Amino acid sequence: PLSGDVHGEAGPLFQLLDVLGYDGEGNHAQGRRLVFVGDLVDRGPDSVSIVEFVRKIVSAGKAQMVLGNHEMNLLRGERKHGNHWFWGLPEVIRKDKAAISFQRLADNPIFRDQTLTFFRSLPFALERDDCRVVHACWDEDAIRQLRDFSQQNPDGDCMDAFEHFAAKVEAKMAQESVPVDGEEAHIVRELAWQNGSPVQVVSAG
């Protein structure tokens, strides 16, 4: 089974896994393996429990996972709406803005280090003859570039790939004299980054 965009909703995820026949260790009577399609975290009340559970069963070989843009935001240290829990900070997420939202906070630096190490070990894509899995978009050119990077850098990980392609996008924008300042320049640069990096294409769309 595939599970995507859990976004910190631990209760519904665990209830679903119970209905599907999984126990609390990720075991299934028929040996079925879970595949998580990124964006485990942020917004919901308990990203901590979800990360702890998924890290445990992936490490035990009972599940697989690909990276989504929310995992990449944490790896990059990007503080965005909905992810302040990771730095132990309460946040207003509710649409009515009436109060601080209920979230379990990651106030343990060991947990944060383990989470980043786990995320950094994950792939952007999974593939076999009858199935392809990415978080956002399976684009043949983007997948080809990521495959080439992996073959040329066998010890590289997701952040190495991110930095490699980010440098290429920046170099191309500099060569094309893309403006740096102003609202229009910001939009142009965001589009160039979004469409020019295969990491962004497969993990963020």
Side-chain angles (χ1 to χ4, degrees):
L2 301 177
S3 176
D5 293 69
V6 179
H7 282 304
E9 297 290 347
L13 173 65
F14 297 153
Q15 289 172 10
L16 174 62
L17 295 183
D18 181 50
V19 170
L20 292 175
Y22 290 89
D23 67 15
E25 299 298 315
N27 299 306
H28 191 277
Q30 297 177 5
R32 294 176 181 173
R33 175 177 295 198
L34 287 162
V35 178
F36 293 92
V37 193
D39 283 8
L40 291 181
V41 297
D42 302 344
R43 301 177 183 161
D46 195 359
S47 294
V48 174
S49 289
I50 291 174
V51 170
E52 289 175 337
F53 173 71
V54 174
R55 185 179 70 218
K56 179 174 68 174
I57 64 173
V58 168
S59 298
K62 300 174 184 177
Q64 292 172 278
M65 178 180 165
V66 298
L67 290 161
N69 54 303
H70 283 255
E71 286 80 31
M72 288 302 297
N73 287 340
L74 297 185
L75 282 168
R76 296 169 58 195
E78 292 278 338
R79 298 196 184 194
K80 295 195 173 186
H81 179 67
N83 77 2
H84 294 191
W85 66 273
F86 187 71
W87 289 277
L89 301 173
E91 186 177 2
V92 177
I93 300 174
R94 291 171 43 168
K95 290 183 179 179
D96 61 11
K97 308 293 185 186
I100 294 290
S101 299
F102 180 92
Q103 283 189 305
R104 185 180 172 194
L105 304 180
D107 52 7
N108 185 337
I110 295 176
F111 168 83
R112 290 196 289 271
D113 289 344
Q114 290 174 338
T115 297
L116 295 179
T117 298
F118 170 57
F119 287 164
R120 192 154 186 165
S121 73
L122 297 173
F124 290 111
L126 295 171
E127 180 180 15
R128 66 185 193 192
D129 291 342
D130 62 343
C131 184
R132 295 171 171 177
V133 179
V134 293
H135 177 68
C137 174
W138 186 281
D139 177 84
E140 291 294 346
D141 184 59
I143 294 295
R144 177 190 58 77
Q145 291 184 67
L146 290 171
R147 282 199 197 106
D148 289 346
F149 177 84
S150 294
Q151 291 170 1
Q152 295 164 13
N153 302 273
D155 295 326
D157 59 25
C158 60
M159 286 304 294
D160 295 321
F162 171 85
E163 292 163 3
H164 170 79
F165 291 109
K168 291 184 71 172
V169 171
E170 288 293 335
K172 184 177 180 182
M173 285 194 289
Q175 185 178 19
E176 295 174 353
S177 300
V178 175
V180 175
D181 299 320
E183 183 175 347
E184 184 175 346
H186 175 73
I187 294 173
V188 171
R189 295 179 73 84
E190 281 293 309
L191 286 173
W193 166 244
Q194 190 66 41
N195 297 324
S197 168
V199 169
Q200 290 296 103
V201 171
V202 302
S203 68

